[in-house]
Amino acid sequence: GQYRLSSLKRTKLNGLSFNALDQRLRTRIEDRRLNYYVLKPSVPPSLVHDIFDRINSGGMPLNRQEIRNGIYQGKSTQLLNELAESDAFLAATGGGISKRRMRDRELVLRCLAVVLADIDTDYRSMDDFLATTMKRLNTASDAHIRSVHEEAHKTFERCARAFGDLCFRFATEGRRTPVNASIAEAVFAAMWGSEAFPQPGSGQEAYAQIVRSEKFIDAARAATGDKLRLRTRLGLAREALRGPL
């Protein structure tokens, strides 16, 4: 009797609690079978994703970020939502990432993963890497979440200020290319905690050298989930924007 039905096509039921339904409907609800899937903590994230996808495949197929958003609700999803809606992120991407299907939240997550997780120990696949990052954020302290939020916001601001319209895109003549997630994560990681290029547009020359490098292009366009290619583009961006380690 605590909850009432709403937004039903059978409008005569709207506003009724369970106790107010006729006996026939109450019996049907009480006799309904509910299926539960209990997964131990040791189950790999990739398998959890597959199970979740199969269970929820009756309507529009879910993409990977929508599945992660369903599985890892908590501090991580709230953080991704806030950063994806921030003026800093919108400035860095030039508003070029769609909110549909959570593409913007996945891009934020990829940027955070490369600065918060350890590629050596955590990376088996991009899906596992992103899932691990969300799981750890969910168990992080509120102070850590605030710190990540603050630094991520500053980093998106730095990128937007330093690289202007080129930010997170390949540099080509005559047209503006789409935002590229592989470039975004590499450049974001290089600018995390950096005070380089404080003046507007001051990093465009260095940025253009990276994204026109054949080695970087190869690592950012083909088999981008490969660990070696991920390392390559992160290393090249860091060296160009901050100098060698």
Side-chain angles (χ1 to χ4, degrees), residues 22-47:
D22 65 45
Q23 183 60 49
R24 180 180 60 84
L25 285 175
R26 292 204 304 270
T27 299
R28 288 181 63 186
I29 292 172
E30 288 173 333
D31 290 345
R32 188 74 175 180
R33 180 192 297 272
L34 298 179
N35 295 319
Y36 292 85
Y37 299 81
V38 181
L39 306 177
K40 296 181 178 180
S42 59
V43 175
S46 58
L47 182 55

Side-chain angles (χ1 to χ4, degrees), residues 18-19 50 58 69 93 140 144 152 159 201 214 216 228 231 235:
F18 177 79
N19 294 333
D50 288 341
N69 190 75
T93 58
H144 180 66
C159 292
E214 289 187 11
F216 185 89
L228 179 59
R231 284 184 173 285

Side-chain angles (χ1 to χ4, degrees), residues 3 40 51 59 62 102 111 154 156 185 195 203 205 213 220:
Y3 307 103
K40 296 181 178 180
I51 294 171
L62 301 176
M102 299 190 177
C111 289
K154 288 180 179 178
F156 283 126
E185 65 194 11
E195 296 300 331
E205 183 176 344
S213 157

Side-chain angles (χ1 to χ4, degrees), residues 90-112:
L90 295 175
T93 58
I97 294 292
S98 172
K99 298 178 184 297
R100 291 184 68 251
R101 311 302 305 273
M102 299 190 177
R103 290 187 61 217
D104 53 347
R105 285 151 179 75
E106 183 170 53
L107 181 61
V108 173
L109 177 57
R110 286 183 63 161
C111 289
L112 292 181

Side-chain angles (χ1 to χ4, degrees), residues 5-14:
L5 297 169
S6 63
S7 304
L8 297 179
K9 292 181 180 179
R10 296 178 63 177
T11 55
K12 66 179 182 179
L13 298 179
N14 287 326

Side-chain angles (χ1 to χ4, degrees), residues 113-132:
V114 294
V115 296
L116 299 178
D118 187 325
I119 295 175
D120 287 333
T121 59
D122 297 330
Y123 197 95
R124 292 176 295 278
S125 69
M126 183 60 75
D127 282 338
D128 282 346
F129 192 53
L130 299 182
T132 296

